[in-house]
């Protein structure tokens, strides 16, 4: 799970050109997303930052380690879709805690 090709992010950035976005997913998905944005995302004023992550607890970018996630700022939103259902409850709670730590107290998480 992750950002996939970034279709939702594309719609958000197109409707709100002053926003920026970060798309995080596995390497294969990021390659597809970069290609899709290059081909068909002319409506968005800004391309997102693409971040490749691993799925395990020791990956360079991992939702199991808040220190590897982008740091949130006031008003930021972390949106997660099709992620938590893939993990046992203990791991899902760890993911949520790490995302909360990364976003800080003035951001939000949407599931």
């Amino acid at each position: 799970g992750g950002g996939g090709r970034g279709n939702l992010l594309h719609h958000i950035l197109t409707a709100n050109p002053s926003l920026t976005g970060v798309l995080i997913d596995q390497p294969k998905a990021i390659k597809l997303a970069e290609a899709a944005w290059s081909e068909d995302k002319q409506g968005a004023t800004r391309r997102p930052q693409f971040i490749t992550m691993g799925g395990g607890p020791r990956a360079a970018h991992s939702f199991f380690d808040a220190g590897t996630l982008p740091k949130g700022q006031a008003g930021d939103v972390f949106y997660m879709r099709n992620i938590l259902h893939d993990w046992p409850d203990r791991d899902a709670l760890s993911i949520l805690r790490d995302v909360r730590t990364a976003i800080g107290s003035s951001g939000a998480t949407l599931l």
Side-chain angles (χ1 to χ4, degrees):
R5 291 188 182 193
N7 291 326
L8 177 64
L9 184 57
H10 171 259
H11 290 295
I12 291 169
L13 295 180
T14 299
N16 303 278
S18 64
L19 299 181
T20 58
V22 176
L23 185 72
I24 303 173
D25 209 320
Q26 302 293 325
K28 183 176 178 180
I30 289 295
K31 281 187 177 186
L32 292 172
E34 289 174 324
W37 278 75
S38 294
E39 292 172 7
D40 193 39
K41 304 301 184 201
Q42 64 273 63
T45 58
R46 295 188 188 150
R47 287 169 49 97
Q49 174 186 358
F50 295 103
I51 296 179
T52 301
M53 67 178 287
R58 290 179 286 287
H61 293 284
S62 172
F63 42 54
F64 288 105
D65 181 355
T68 67
L69 296 172
K71 297 295 175 229
Q73 299 178 8
D76 282 357
V77 174
F78 280 36
Y79 172 71
M80 298 190 313
R81 182 178 123 193
N82 295 328
I83 295 173
L84 298 177
H85 73 284
D86 286 338
W87 298 95
D89 290 349
R90 179 176 4 108
D91 292 335
L93 286 171
S94 176
I95 291 167
L96 289 171
R97 282 187 203 104
D98 290 340
V99 167
R100 183 76 224 158
T101 298
I103 190 104
S105 61
S106 60
T109 304
L110 298 176
L111 303 176

